[in-house]
Amino acid sequence: MVEHGDHMRILLLGFLAACDTSATIGNDTAGGGDTADTGENISDSGDTADSADTADSGDTGAAEATVAWDVTGDYTDLVFSLVSINIGDTLIMADIAEELPAAARIELAEPPPDDYLVAVPDVPGLYIAYFLGGLHQDDGDGKWDPDEEWYGVATTVTFYLDGVLPTEMIDAGYVAGWNALKITSSGNELGDPLAQPLPVLLNDELVLGGDHDDTIAATDRVTTLSASAFSAGTVPAALDVTDVGDTWSLTLSGEPPSDHFADIDGDGREEAVELALAYTNVGGSYGFDVGTDTDRGFACLDGLPVVGWWFASSTDITELLYLNQAGVALGWNAIQITGSDTAFLTPEDAQSLTLSTSCQLGG
């Protein structure tokens, strides 16, 4: 997975190149810090440029949207938040600037309050504020609470520029007002602030399936086996089990029980990982009976084992951004284990697996 610092370098690349400065974005609030002039500049810009922008969009009584997000996925019972973020070596979730009901399209017309703007070092008279659009679970009050998890995050970082833009920034496409920066694994580019994608990332169900080679009998069975069994010493109840037959499929649906979670990758966080295990049913029980049934082999794609991996949601929206940029969904993902690395599979590949005695972990 991409580290937080790598994402920050991607995020800042376009902005710093346009500014033609090696300085990072400062944390001083506008008017609060380095010189008296910064306070005067913000005050002046609020009286002139900001008021002109507001007049353009709002004096008619029907304010025209200046920034918007297009939501995809099931947003039922979710609430939209415009989340302020601080930028340093990592993205840091700050506070909530705006809350709105979730909808297929979410629009805002006004600029952010002045107290979100920070001075851009080495670019006199220019101020910036960074945000992420997100969707979170809600207890009914329409506001984000610290224990409420995020289920959607925009694929762009939204930022507002106030003040005097250098010519090189204008030539690069930046504007005074709302901007959007599309973050990709290969770099970044400016996007349309009125058409920012905001996907709901939860994938609540995954199907693993396929066929078998001649080392596995059609009369054998195949079941889910929690990877927590290798560290806990006990085998949690199977999520699904079926006959191998000519073809087979196992469905992973919803969040797995707590005994399916363990710190599989040693990062200090517990994950739920499920393997597809073929076995000969000797004892006659529903699932795989350790010590009685005979384990045969796992499910592989191109000779490499595949697992279902559940990624839990988070109360920190920046974690969702990192997961999204790494191609990871909340909930279930099909992952191919390729030695020290992993590959995320399409739903089609996840149902094109082969059970074989030659498919073993670590080999």
Side-chain angles (χ1 to χ4, degrees), residues 62-79:
E64 184 177 348
T66 56
V67 62
W69 295 261
D70 295 313
V71 177
T72 53
D74 183 5
Y75 54 83
T76 305
D77 299 326
L78 301 182
V79 168

Side-chain angles (χ1 to χ4, degrees), residues 1-299:
M1 292 179 61
V2 181
E3 298 295 333
H4 289 194
D6 294 331
H7 280 284
M8 279 310 309
R9 284 188 287 275
I10 293 171
L11 174 64
L12 292 176
L13 178 64
F15 178 77
L16 296 181
C19 286
D20 194 26
T21 173
S22 60
T24 56
I25 303 303
N27 291 322
D28 294 333
T29 55
D34 298 336
T35 65
D37 288 341
T38 59
E40 292 172 2
N41 286 343
I42 277 293
S43 175
D44 291 341
S45 65
D47 291 339
T48 56
D50 284 354
S51 61
D53 290 344
T54 303
D56 289 342
S57 60
D59 288 349
T60 62
E64 184 177 348
T66 56
V67 62
W69 295 261
D70 295 313
V71 177
T72 53
D74 183 5
Y75 54 83
T76 305
D77 299 326
L78 301 182
V79 168
F80 171 83
S81 293
L82 183 63
V83 184
S84 171
I85 56 173
N86 296 326
I87 291 186
D89 292 332
T90 62
L91 293 180
I92 300 173
M93 178 179 169
D95 62 3
I96 306 300
E98 186 78 40
E99 302 264 22
L100 292 169
R105 182 169 173 82
I106 297 166
E107 299 180 340
L108 291 173
E110 300 299 322
D114 282 354
D115 54 8
Y116 283 102
L117 294 165
V118 297
V120 179
D122 299 333
V123 188
L126 184 62
Y127 301 88
I128 192 167
Y130 282 101
F131 301 92
L132 283 173
L135 295 164
H136 62 82
Q137 62 182 176
D138 182 56
D139 60 8
D141 64 359
K143 299 181 182 298
W144 180 78
D145 299 314
D147 62 344
E148 291 177 342
E149 297 175 335
W150 297 91
Y151 285 96
V153 65
T155 59
T156 52
V157 172
T158 310
F159 61 99
Y160 191 89
L161 290 170
D162 183 75
V164 180
L165 273 66
T167 301
E168 57 267 30
M169 287 189 68
I170 296 173
D171 292 343
Y174 295 86
V175 299
W178 290 108
N179 296 258
L181 192 66
K182 295 191 290 186
I183 311 301
T184 69
S185 59
S186 59
N188 60 56
E189 60 183 276
L190 286 175
D192 184 352
L194 284 169
Q196 299 181 81
L198 203 175
V200 178
L201 300 178
L202 181 62
N203 182 31
D204 202 42
E205 185 172 282
L206 172 67
V207 177
L208 299 177
D211 56 16
H212 61 93
D213 67 12
D214 57 9
T215 68
I216 304 293
T219 54
D220 284 336
R221 308 202 83 190
V222 57
T223 184
T224 59
L225 176 67
S226 172
S228 67
F230 297 104
S231 58
T234 59
V235 180
L239 300 182
D240 198 6
V241 59
T242 188
D243 294 327
V244 170
D246 292 329
T247 61
W248 57 274
S249 67
L250 299 171
T251 300
L252 309 178
S253 182
E255 182 174 356
S258 59
D259 60 352
H260 286 244
F261 285 83
D263 185 5
I264 304 299
D265 55 5
D267 65 352
R269 298 178 59 181
E270 293 190 335
E271 301 87 17
V273 177
E274 301 289 330
L275 301 103
L277 172 69
Y279 67 99
T280 300
N281 189 7
V282 177
S285 60
Y286 171 73
F288 177 64
D289 190 353
V290 178
T292 302
D293 295 333
T294 304
D295 59 289
R296 306 289 292 156
F298 295 103

